[in-house]
Amino acid sequence: MAAASDILASVITPSRGDRPRALAQAGRSLDAAVARAVAQGRVRPGQVQWLVGFDGVKGLRPEVDTPATFVDFPRSGNFGNRIRDSLIKLAAGSRLLFLDDDNALTDNALTSFLGHMDAEMVIARIDVSRAFDIPLLPRPGNAQDAVRQGNIDPLCLCLSRELVTGPGRGWSGEGGYESDFLNIRRYFRRARSWVILEDVVGVYDAGRGLDPEGMNERQKGKLAKK
């Protein structure tokens, strides 16, 4: 097990606690991404940590190979914003990734992201075909094109912790449902360096339907149309 000072990447996951199967799948996807990164020499075993925060419940803890910390927070709602901010404060890694409990990383995610340690903000593409009528986000273009509403998700990002906790001011709940974009835009405006990759690093809605009781209204509507 790596010492806290040796942690390279912290993966942040807020969870409502009603998607245990999807959360377990997210954890397995992280394990696979870590295994590939270790095999390719990007990290050493134990240098990636998974931080999971449950919103007002004692959620089920999936068994994973990646060192994991599970925290049962008081009920906050607000789309997991307060939990993300709290987990960021607990993060030991110099790099932050965001993996919601109904999403998944691709096997190459960490290898792709950690190949750009010189950039404070790395933006990569994600598969959104399970949720939307387009295959990938962000759409083709440069970084400025990517950072606009409806074109980017936290799953696309690998950020310097110094950027997020310093000039980025943590993870704000301003905007409620739209806070993801507002936070990402603030980080982009305050980053001293950024890079955009063509690599696909995640699958949005990968866990949709695994926990029927945990689906949101958009996911229910998408399944109903099939």
Side-chain angles (χ1 to χ4, degrees), residues 25-166:
Q25 177 178 264
R28 290 193 299 272
S29 78
L30 175 57
D31 282 347
V34 171
R36 176 172 287 194
V38 169
Q40 297 190 2
R42 293 293 184 194
V43 298
R44 298 192 304 276
Q47 281 195 302
V48 177
Q49 66 174 175
W50 191 25
L51 301 175
V52 181
F54 293 107
D55 191 3
V57 297
K58 186 175 177 60
L60 292 176
R61 277 75 163 149
E63 294 186 5
V64 292
D65 297 327
T66 303
T69 299
F70 301 93
V71 183
D72 301 313
F73 288 102
R75 174 71 177 166
S76 65
N78 197 22
F79 307 99
N81 291 315
R82 186 178 301 173
I83 290 175
R84 275 203 189 112
D85 189 55
S86 297
L87 292 177
I88 286 168
K89 293 173 182 175
L90 295 176
S94 62
R95 295 280 148 168
L96 301 179
L97 286 76
F98 301 92
L99 175 64
D100 283 1
D101 61 359
D102 54 352
N103 294 336
L105 296 173
T106 59
D107 289 359
N108 62 280
L110 284 165
T111 302
S112 296
F113 278 139
L114 298 181
H116 300 274
M117 295 291 288
D118 54 334
E120 285 195 317
M121 184 174 197
V122 183
I123 303 169
R125 305 202 187 279
I126 59 172
D127 179 344
V128 294
S129 60
R130 292 178 61 84
F132 308 113
D133 295 328
I134 55 174
L136 302 173
L137 286 179
R139 297 169 179 85
N142 58 27
Q144 288 86 350
D145 295 330
V147 183
R148 55 188 173 85
Q149 200 163 23
N151 198 40
I152 196 167
D153 184 83
L155 185 61
C156 301
L157 305 178
C158 178
L159 303 172
S160 159
R161 180 163 57 90
E162 289 187 2
L163 167 65
V164 174
T165 60

